[in-house]
Amino acid sequence: MIRANGEPKYMPLYEALASEVRWRIMGLLAGGEMNVKDIAQQVGLSPSIITMHIRKLEEAGLTGSRRARLHGGTHKLCFLKQKTIEIELPSAGRSAKFSEQSIPVGHYTAFEVHPTCGLGTHEKEIGVWDDPRYFLDPERVNAGILWFGWGYVEYKMPNYLRSDQTAAALEISMEIASEAPGLKDDWPSDIGFTFNGVFLGTWTSPADFGRAARGKYTPEWWHRNVNQYGLLKTITIDASGTYMDGERLSEVSTGDLKLQEPFWTLRFSVDEQAANVGGLTLYGAGFGNHDQDIVVRVQLGG
């Protein structure tokens, strides 16, 4: 999802939406990946004009593309990146309602991981798989994917709320899945979430996905028989409790989270004693099916 407002950085998005042709292109891509030639045939315009429209859609973050070998040649396949857009209109006498931080998956500040485990950047593996020592490798900050069998990774972030601001709600979104040796369509894992030392709840990931297809953003060099993509999950904490994609996860509310602290911490964990010890994989931008890192979004109070 794209959440936009009146900031200048969203102007390419509004421009991209102001075209019937680009809406038709997005409608076609909603049905699956297509190359420029096929889109041009469907729309009835030349490939060069379609390329121009695709460029505007990509600049707006609405579509993406990847290179693939097909029928003996290399093709640029285009796909739809977003399903929904939320636009916040100006409100008289009020400042922006949201504050957002994006945290790369390799920027953890504490960890305890046990095999199977490993990390990878967009270009290569980091060190040797199943050796937790490489989670301290300096190149870990460039990681776009990490995984472990059980344990935790923890992220620390600054609290940018001003003294006159309060948090009405907190959203945490990430692409996440289990971690199996290889790929498993049925590999449940009980993954726990903790914020500022307060346990938010547990979600059971159903699988280590990828047997049917590669991740849309997963680099072409990445091994085909290991982690490909996860599910985009959103945790919301407000005054009434904690929710995962709208379903109640726990009774923890924003009042329990110690949001006045100057730094916040977020932990993802798999307990060795859990009913389903199926590991954890975190996908960042450039890996998986959702081109994003861990996003922490604060809805500001009135």
Side-chain angles (χ1 to χ4, degrees):
M1 172 188 286
I2 294 179
R3 296 180 176 92
N5 54 31
E7 295 181 26
K9 66 180 181 179
Y10 294 113
M11 291 305 109
L13 170 65
Y14 303 139
E15 180 182 351
L17 294 173
S19 165
E20 181 180 350
V21 171
R22 291 193 281 276
W23 277 96
R24 291 178 63 190
I25 292 171
M26 288 190 288
L28 291 171
L29 296 182
E33 294 180 325
M34 296 179 67
N35 61 34
V36 171
K37 181 180 178 181
D38 291 339
I39 295 172
Q41 290 177 343
Q42 291 283 336
V43 177
L45 295 172
S46 70
S48 61
I49 292 178
I50 293 299
T51 297
M52 179 271 292
H53 284 294
I54 289 291
R55 186 181 305 116
K56 287 185 176 294
L57 290 169
E58 289 185 348
E59 289 173 352
L62 296 170
T63 66
S65 62
R66 66 182 182 91
R67 298 284 179 179
R69 294 285 298 177
L70 293 173
H71 312 301
T74 300
H75 295 256
K76 178 182 178 179
L77 296 179
C78 304
F79 54 85
L80 193 64
K81 288 177 63 175
Q82 307 294 335
K83 291 185 178 179
T84 57
I85 299 170
E86 180 181 295
I87 298 175
E88 180 186 359
L89 297 177
S91 179
R94 299 186 67 179
S95 59
K97 293 182 180 180
F98 295 95
S99 172
E100 184 174 291
Q101 298 184 56
S102 184
I103 308 168
V105 299
H107 284 212
Y108 48 85
T109 53
F111 71 93
E112 178 189 343
V113 299
H114 299 265
T116 54
C117 60
L119 311 97
T121 72
H122 301 147
E123 292 79 30
K124 62 180 181 179
E125 303 161 3
I126 297 178
V128 178
W129 289 2
D130 298 338
D131 187 340
R133 293 178 298 176
Y134 286 97
F135 273 68
L136 278 178
D137 189 290
E139 199 166 8
R140 68 182 175 82
V141 296
N142 298 318
I145 184 173
L146 67 81
W147 65 95
F148 55 86
W150 63 274
Y152 71 86
V153 288
E154 187 173 273
Y155 300 84
K156 190 175 288 289
M157 69 204 81
N159 171 10
Y160 287 128
L161 290 178
R162 301 192 309 266
S163 59
D164 62 335
Q165 292 178 322
T166 59
L170 196 69
E171 287 184 3
I172 305 163
S173 68
M174 62 280 155
E175 185 172 354
I176 194 167
S178 308
E179 157 51 22
L183 296 167
K184 301 286 185 182
D185 288 336
D186 184 11
W187 194 262
S189 185
D190 296 337
I191 299 173
F193 306 91
T194 303
F195 194 90
N196 280 354
V198 180
F199 188 65
L200 301 177
T202 300
W203 167 71
T204 301
S205 169
D208 184 352
F209 302 96
R211 290 177 62 87
R214 292 181 60 88
K216 285 184 177 180
Y217 299 97
T218 299
E220 291 187 21
W221 70 268
W222 187 250
H223 312 279
R224 182 61 186 89
N225 62 338
V226 294
N227 331 55
Q228 294 296 318
Y229 60 89
L231 300 175
L232 185 64
K233 308 299 291 184
T234 300
I235 298 173
T236 302
I237 310 105
D238 60 22
S240 66
T242 298
Y243 304 84
M244 172 75 82
D245 295 337
E247 296 187 6
R248 195 170 190 85
L249 199 63
S250 74
E251 302 297 317
V252 174
S253 69
T254 46
D256 301 318
L257 294 184
K258 311 172 198 174
L259 295 178
Q260 73 279 3
E261 298 293 329
F263 299 98
W264 296 341
T265 58
L266 171 63
R267 175 179 289 200
F268 303 92
S269 61
V270 176
D271 192 326
E272 185 184 16
Q273 305 302 320
N276 299 293
V277 186
L280 180 157
T281 304
L282 277 173
Y283 297 85
F287 272 87
N289 280 354
H290 303 274
D291 194 21
Q292 71 163 65
D293 292 310
I294 301 163
V295 175
V296 178
R297 191 166 185 256
V298 182
Q299 179 182 343
L300 303 178

